[in-house]
Amino acid sequence: KNRMNWSEYFNKKETLENGPAVFANRVAVSVLDGGVKITFLEQTDPTSVSKFRNAVFLSLRDAVELKKLLNRMLAGENKTDVDP
């Protein structure tokens, strides 16, 4: 299979800045066959019901790469938006 080179695709500044960014302050992760579903929600106060904002499905391989990237960025090791 030909796999897209994601680092080349996402290194384009216009790709990173394209599209809206919705606010989410809650995240739910479901492990499914072949990957994970990550659901983003917004809860405005502790007594309100969370509102769905967005969801993505990632293959297990891509979920592991996302984990590595987030770990590096949160540790201050990588200040870019993408893994070079």
Side-chain angles (χ1 to χ4, degrees), residues 61-76:
R61 176 181 174 177
D62 289 338
V64 168
E65 290 303 314
L66 175 61
K67 176 185 178 266
K68 290 177 185 176
L69 176 62
L70 287 171
N71 283 339
R72 282 193 308 272
M73 290 181 76
L74 294 172

Side-chain angles (χ1 to χ4, degrees), residues 25-82:
N25 59 357
R26 299 287 182 265
V27 177
V29 178
S30 304
V31 178
L32 305 170
D33 287 339
V36 296
K37 178 182 177 184
I38 304 172
T39 305
F40 299 93
L41 308 138
E42 178 184 0
Q43 187 175 24
T44 54
D45 66 68
T47 61
S48 68
V49 174
S50 294
K51 297 174 186 167
F52 174 84
R53 293 297 177 226
N54 201 349
V56 296
F57 180 84
L58 297 175
S59 70
L60 291 175
R61 176 181 174 177
D62 289 338
V64 168
E65 290 303 314
L66 175 61
K67 176 185 178 266
K68 290 177 185 176
L69 176 62
L70 287 171
N71 283 339
R72 282 193 308 272
M73 290 181 76
L74 294 172
E77 297 171 18
N78 187 352
K79 300 293 185 187
T80 63
D81 289 329
V82 294

Side-chain angles (χ1 to χ4, degrees), residues 4-13 15 82-84:
M4 176 178 276
N5 184 334
W6 288 106
S7 60
E8 285 181 18
Y9 178 77
F10 285 115
N11 277 331
K12 297 180 181 180
K13 185 177 178 183
T15 301
V82 294
D83 189 7

